[in-house]
Amino acid sequence: MQNENFRRKVSVIGSEDFSNIKITEPVRYAAGKLGVKEALRHGFKEMGIVRSMRAFLELNQEDGFDCPSCAWPNPEKPSTIAEYCENGAKAVADEATTDKIGREFFKKYSVEELSKLTEYQLNKFGRLTEPLVLRPGSIHYEPISWQESYELISEELGRLKSPDDAIFYTSGRSSNEAAYLYGMFARALGTNNMPDCSNMCHESSGVALSETLGIGKGSVKLEDLYGADVVIVAGQNPGTNHPRMLSALEKCKKNGGKVISINPLEESGLINFKNPQHVKGLIGGGENLTDIHLQVRINQDIALMKLILKRLAALDEAGQKVFNHDFLGEYVDGYQELLDDLARYDESSLLDLCGVEEAIIDETVALLATSSNIVICWAMGLTQHKNGVATICEYLNLLLLKGSLGKPNAGTCPVRGHSNVQGDRSVGIMHFVNPELNERIEKHLGFKAPDKEGLDVVGAIKAMHDESGKVFICLGGNFLMAASDTLYTAEAMQNCELTVQISTKLNRSHLVTGKTALILPTFGRSEKDMKGDKLRYQTMEDSMGRVRQSRGLLKPTSENIKSEPELIAELAHTHFGAGHSVNWKAMGEDYELIRESIDLIIKGFENTKERSKGIGYYLPNNVRDLDFSMLPNGRAQLTRNPLPEHDLKDEELMLMTIRSHDQFNTTIYGMDDRYRGIYNERRVLFMNAKDMEKRNLKKMDVVHIKSTYNRKVRTAHKFLVVPYNIPSGDLAAYYPETNVLVPYDQYADKSKTPISKSIKVTVEKAI
């Protein structure tokens, strides 16, 4: 045993070596035969043919399991052949792989050795098969029994001076049942320190929607997209991140609707979609999806929307009845104030800022002027800016002016990235205080929940860095790689007394740890969760607020792994004992008890056991009912949103982080991004040819990317320059490799979402 100041010599970044890169022209369509081929290839390679076909046939079916990938909803009548996409198949293959690692693997490889590998290499080792502990002074994980692991956590929690020295992080892969128990355990302990992945992605959506419409969720159902006059897809790449959404856009087009895409990159999935479920998609030309593409400069959406709104307002004032004045008069506040605000801006200045051709804007205005049923979809391209909340509010102004809310085929559609991130929040994973929720907890669970606001992700990282956060527990995810400011976050995690990862596979958060670290292996979404002879199920909430059942069918990867609800319940039982007001142990054994408790405690959940069967049931949504009684004057709110202030220096460019087609969040399935023409490499920097010429850079030159905030310089080393169709002054590169550039203390106003989509950087040629 070494002294308590011992710190493991682990690599926070992993390997920065290049692979054998190949660059081609970007693929101009999504899915098709190639998508089917890639889905099957991943499945067969990871699971074998029989296991793959069993899993794929039950994926997203009524009596099957929900996709562990994105939160896109299932149709009311799902396809019986393949209700999944290429990336959903990759996600299932990744978690249901037959490759395994356990005690012999960790005896052979130290955390220091493993940390030198890439995220892709770490993920490829396979499933974790038993609980493991990394003790102080050691560089090798070793086996530990489940009960010993619970006791170790309980002892560390018991040593804390305050419950607020513990932090409970939740990723979006957890079920409603697991997240509910986890949140109630944290509250019973006495803390609201419950940061979650929403803090890093759609928190801006929740804030903007709550302030303007009274609920932090979208208002549309899947079928609303089919009949919309116009679907706007802003700051989103559905071809890679939510591929099943393309089927909905295809139906919209066939019904006469139009699609407008707004993004600095022209993404393949929105150019053309070859639906593999149709003959035209397999052997024909597919469906051209985007009617109008607005190639806006990074974080200039407000300028673009103000220009569009100004021109729509001019048409309305000229008597064309562009806006829905009946709707505005009955349901909306702030109309005249908004018009006064728009009048302050010069059209030519807005046009210059957004960078979009005027003719394309005129085409957009003409289409929107004659459309009444509009759906706006968005993702992190809007949320992860300093002005992310304001940007979303500016888009919402369009829906309010058009009266495109509270009726079929119109409304808001924030597209959540992870499969149950919205459900986690619904069942109580939140760092802020809800007095009504606390009252119900005290009434039905018998303990008093804390009334002090807890830590979000930003606050949690700072607390750990300042050594006031001492125990850090992660329910899923790869926190180190998901969070901003990678080096700072690594230092924070290493300051902890104990870090606990509840996981299915190895990732860097298992290697950059506190003095003591635990890995607690859990079931994948596709695996059978049996208790005796009973197959247990869990529930999820999709992006559109529908709750439905999910039950696995594959044999678990090991007999020594546990479900998330069961291991949380057993931990709580160990810590609180049998005399606690909550019978944790019983809940861990019988999930129906958890659902009964959720129905009592969580607003909107009712008779979940029965109503979650089949296609499931929708949670209440005030926007669908045009009920804005919780807002000022009982009305929805139009907002006045200032333009962003970038203050770029002459040598600075604006960088946005993006995903490759072979990844989901921080999980890297492969090294290719065929939609952008990149193969066998991730350390690339997409750059406008004019910007390259100005800096005397050529294709494949090696550069370092630097960001400077508050006089602190952060560097992402060794990236290959690739010329690309991106606005001049803008850059794009994959995360998590570029998260090192995002300062932990630079985030969206109000929501604290990191500025990962608008980082001011310089590019320096490597010597």
Side-chain angles (χ1 to χ4, degrees), residues 476-760:
N478 181 1
F479 184 82
L480 175 59
M481 291 291 99
S484 57
D485 214 338
T486 311
L487 299 181
Y488 184 91
T489 301
E491 291 173 356
M493 294 179 69
Q494 289 170 311
N495 284 341
C496 292
E497 294 297 322
L498 172 67
T499 52
V500 181
Q501 306 290 333
I502 301 170
S503 309
T504 56
K505 300 184 78 177
L506 184 65
N507 63 54
R508 196 164 301 276
S509 295
H510 302 123
L511 310 176
V512 182
T513 71
K515 298 184 178 85
T516 302
L518 282 169
I519 298 175
L520 304 182
T522 188
F523 284 84
R525 189 76 60 80
S526 58
E527 291 174 309
K528 283 184 180 178
D529 182 358
M530 301 293 296
K531 195 65 177 179
D533 59 355
K534 182 180 181 181
L535 176 62
R536 300 186 290 191
Y537 69 89
Q538 299 181 52
T539 60
M540 321 292 165
E541 179 187 347
D542 64 33
S543 238
M544 296 177 181
R546 187 169 59 190
V547 177
R548 68 184 295 270
Q549 298 180 9
S550 175
R551 48 176 60 78
L553 75 153
L554 300 179
K555 181 181 179 181
T557 195
S558 166
E559 294 181 356
N560 201 19
I561 63 174
K562 290 185 180 288
S563 73
E564 289 178 334
E566 189 155 11
L567 73 85
I568 294 164
E570 289 177 352
L571 169 60
H573 177 76
T574 299
H575 186 74
F576 292 119
H580 195 261
S581 60
V582 177
N583 191 340
W584 302 98
K585 190 173 182 62
M587 283 189 173
E589 294 175 351
D590 184 355
Y591 300 166
E592 294 301 346
L593 297 177
I594 306 176
R595 286 184 279 274
E596 290 172 8
S597 185
I598 290 175
D599 288 346
L600 287 172
I601 304 297
I602 305 301
K603 187 177 180 180
F605 286 78
E606 183 180 352
N607 192 19
T608 298
K609 177 181 179 180
E610 293 300 322
R611 297 176 71 203
S612 62
K613 293 178 180 178
I615 64 171
Y617 72 99
Y618 284 99
L619 295 174
N621 190 299
N622 65 284
V623 179
R624 292 172 186 159
D625 299 329
L626 290 177
D627 174 14
F628 304 112
S629 58
M630 69 295 297
L631 293 169
N633 300 321
R635 297 161 74 86
Q637 305 291 304
L638 287 163
T639 54
R640 292 164 289 169
N641 305 293
L643 296 171
E645 297 180 3
H646 293 150
D647 299 322
L648 285 172
K649 298 176 182 176
D650 288 341
E651 70 276 13
E652 287 183 323
L653 300 161
M654 190 68 78
L655 171 72
M656 65 176 182
T657 65
I658 58 176
R659 292 183 194 172
S660 78
H661 192 62
D662 261 358
Q663 78 177 99
F664 180 73
N665 292 346
T666 58
T667 303
I668 314 300
Y669 303 136
M671 296 292 287
D672 297 342
D673 189 0
R674 73 173 186 271
Y675 286 176
R676 299 190 181 102
I678 304 297
Y679 296 85
N680 204 36
E681 185 54 74
R682 292 184 53 81
R683 304 189 70 80
V684 297
L685 179 65
F686 297 105
M687 196 171 191
N688 183 284
K690 292 180 180 178
D691 294 326
M692 292 173 58
E693 183 179 358
K694 182 178 178 180
R695 288 159 179 78
N696 196 28
L697 293 172
K698 295 180 176 60
K699 181 178 178 179
M700 300 289 285
D701 276 351
V702 181
V703 297
H704 306 312
I705 314 169
K706 295 186 176 183
S707 69
T708 304
Y709 288 85
N710 298 324
R711 296 190 298 275
K712 181 172 182 179
V713 180
R714 295 168 173 84
T715 304
H717 295 278
K718 296 176 61 178
F719 283 74
L720 296 167
V721 175
V722 175
Y724 206 76
N725 179 14
I726 187 170
S728 180
D730 292 348
L731 303 168
Y734 302 127
Y735 78 86
E737 290 83 353
T738 45
N739 283 0
V740 67
L741 297 167
V742 187
Y744 81 95
D745 58 356
Q746 297 294 315
Y747 42 72
D749 298 331
K750 298 183 181 180
S751 70
K752 291 190 175 181
T753 302
I755 60 164
S756 301
K757 292 292 186 288
S758 54
I759 315 158
K760 294 187 291 186

Side-chain angles (χ1 to χ4, degrees), residues 67 85 199 215 251-252 263 355 426 438 456 478 486 492 535 580 701 729:
C67 181
C85 65
N199 299 154
I215 187 171
K251 290 180 180 178
C252 174
N263 201 45
S426 292
N438 282 5
D456 59 7
N478 181 1
T486 311
L535 176 62
H580 195 261
D701 276 351

Side-chain angles (χ1 to χ4, degrees), residues 296-316:
V296 65
R297 290 194 176 110
I298 290 176
N299 196 23
Q300 290 296 353
D301 294 77
I302 292 181
L304 173 63
M305 290 307 300
K306 283 189 183 298
L307 181 54
I308 290 172
L309 292 177
K310 275 180 71 72
R311 295 193 171 182
L312 287 171
L315 294 175
D316 190 74

Side-chain angles (χ1 to χ4, degrees), residues 430 432-442 449-451:
M430 62 187 80
F432 46 86
V433 178
N434 182 328
E436 294 179 354
L437 174 64
N438 282 5
E439 288 177 8
R440 293 192 293 272
I441 289 171
E442 186 170 8
D451 57 7

Side-chain angles (χ1 to χ4, degrees), residues 66-87:
D66 259 16
C67 181
S69 178
C70 78
W72 190 252
N74 298 325
E76 291 190 0
K77 295 180 180 179
S79 165
T80 57
I81 300 173
E83 188 53 59
Y84 58 89
C85 65
E86 177 187 341
N87 274 17

